[in-house]
Amino acid sequence: YRELEDTIVALFRRKPAADDAVPPTGTPDDAVEPLPVAAEAVDEDAASWEPETPFSRLRGPFDRSEVEADDSRVDLGGIWVPIVPGVEVALQVDESSHTPIGVQLTMAGSGAYLQAYAAPRTEGIWPEIRAEIAQSVVSGGGRADVVAGPLGKELRLHPRGGVPMRLLGVDGPRWFLRALLTGPAATEDRVADQLIAVVRAVVVDRGSQAMAPREQLPLRLPAAAVEPAGPAADTPRGYADLKPFERGPEITEVH
């Protein structure tokens, strides 16, 4: 997970060059797009920068302007996470800077790792990011399929030598939210639907500050953060297999 996560972070920080564009393949918009070799691992939408058919956010994820602040969600700065029984919420913290860099949701052995980024006012970044991540995975000998999912187009990732993962992305007003599903949720739709329902209830607070596209929205500890648990305390089944906090300590709040 760490290697793929590092790759994804690097791609979000990268400014695409003009010669990265590849002519569209003509694949129908609603078709599954297998990407068996590196040369084909380019999404048809990425080349033109044309917005794809927008995903309806009527059922979420939501923008800060679309909801009222209440106690049904934990305010973590750029991301507000719903309080759902059985779902553990944890912040991944960068060890060198001691700043939160991602939100991990864990439920029954499955995980959803959330990060939110700034995006241009007039267009989304998911088609382009999707193509870059697919290209990276396939270039490493893995497989990446673009499929139609409950939150619009998504990536089914099969890294070489790794376990399957599922990457979801949603373009909102001046922001982009992505969720990396791991564990059983990466391959079992019924399990994934439970986590995706939680992701749908997430609120993204873009803020009014000027930010460059792909710059991560800042996160912060909740006002009443729970002290870090001991190494063996309150560890859910399957948590060790996910290893979402290899690069730093964690602050965990359980609901």
Side-chain angles (χ1 to χ4, degrees):
Y1 295 105
R2 177 178 178 179
E3 181 179 352
L4 179 62
E5 183 61 33
D6 288 341
T7 299
I8 292 175
V9 170
L11 288 171
F12 270 100
R13 291 174 178 170
R14 170 182 173 271
K15 181 62 177 176
D19 57 3
D20 284 345
V22 175
T25 62
T27 306
D29 185 69
D30 59 349
V32 175
E33 303 170 36
L35 304 171
V37 296
E40 298 176 2
V42 178
D43 191 295
E44 62 185 62
D45 306 85
S48 63
W49 279 70
E50 290 291 334
E52 62 185 24
T53 302
F55 160 71
S56 173
R57 292 188 304 100
L58 290 178
R59 295 171 53 203
F62 302 100
D63 183 71
R64 169 67 183 87
S65 64
E66 299 166 343
V67 299
E68 296 293 334
D70 55 33
D71 58 1
S72 65
R73 295 180 176 89
V74 180
D75 182 352
L76 299 176
I79 298 176
W80 299 5
V81 181
I83 300 173
V84 179
V87 177
E88 181 180 272
V89 180
L91 280 173
Q92 181 177 358
V93 180
D94 181 82
E95 193 170 28
S96 60
S97 64
H98 303 290
T99 58
I101 57 174
V103 179
Q104 177 75 27
L105 308 180
T106 305
M107 179 175 65
S110 290
Y113 184 60
L114 309 178
Q115 288 182 309
Y117 298 83
R121 185 182 300 274
T122 57
E123 60 187 1
I125 62 175
W126 178 221
E128 182 182 16
I129 290 294
R130 191 170 62 230
E132 293 175 9
I133 293 173
Q135 178 72 58
S136 176
V137 171
V138 175
S139 295
R143 179 180 176 86
D145 298 322
V146 182
V147 304
L151 298 185
K153 284 190 175 183
E154 63 181 60
L155 278 175
R156 303 292 178 95
L157 303 172
H158 304 269
R160 182 179 182 181
V163 297
M165 284 173 275
R166 186 173 170 181
L167 186 63
L168 287 65
V170 177
D171 283 310
R174 301 175 61 224
W175 53 257
F176 169 75
L177 176 70
R178 63 99 163 175
L180 182 66
L181 303 188
T182 55
T187 55
E188 301 176 25
D189 288 342
R190 184 172 61 177
V191 178
D193 288 345
Q194 301 176 53
L195 269 176
I196 292 174
V198 180
V199 175
R200 277 188 178 275
V202 163
V203 172
V204 177
D205 187 356
R206 165 63 174 77
S208 58
Q209 69 273 30
M211 300 181 70
R214 302 192 186 195
E215 183 178 350
Q216 187 175 353
L217 302 188
L219 298 170
R220 62 169 179 264
L221 296 176
V226 175
E227 291 297 323
D234 299 324
T235 301
R237 181 175 299 175
Y239 188 78
D241 296 332
L242 299 180
K243 300 179 181 177
F245 304 107
E246 283 187 328
R247 290 176 293 172
E250 60 182 276
I251 305 295
T252 305
E253 183 164 335
V254 181
H255 304 290

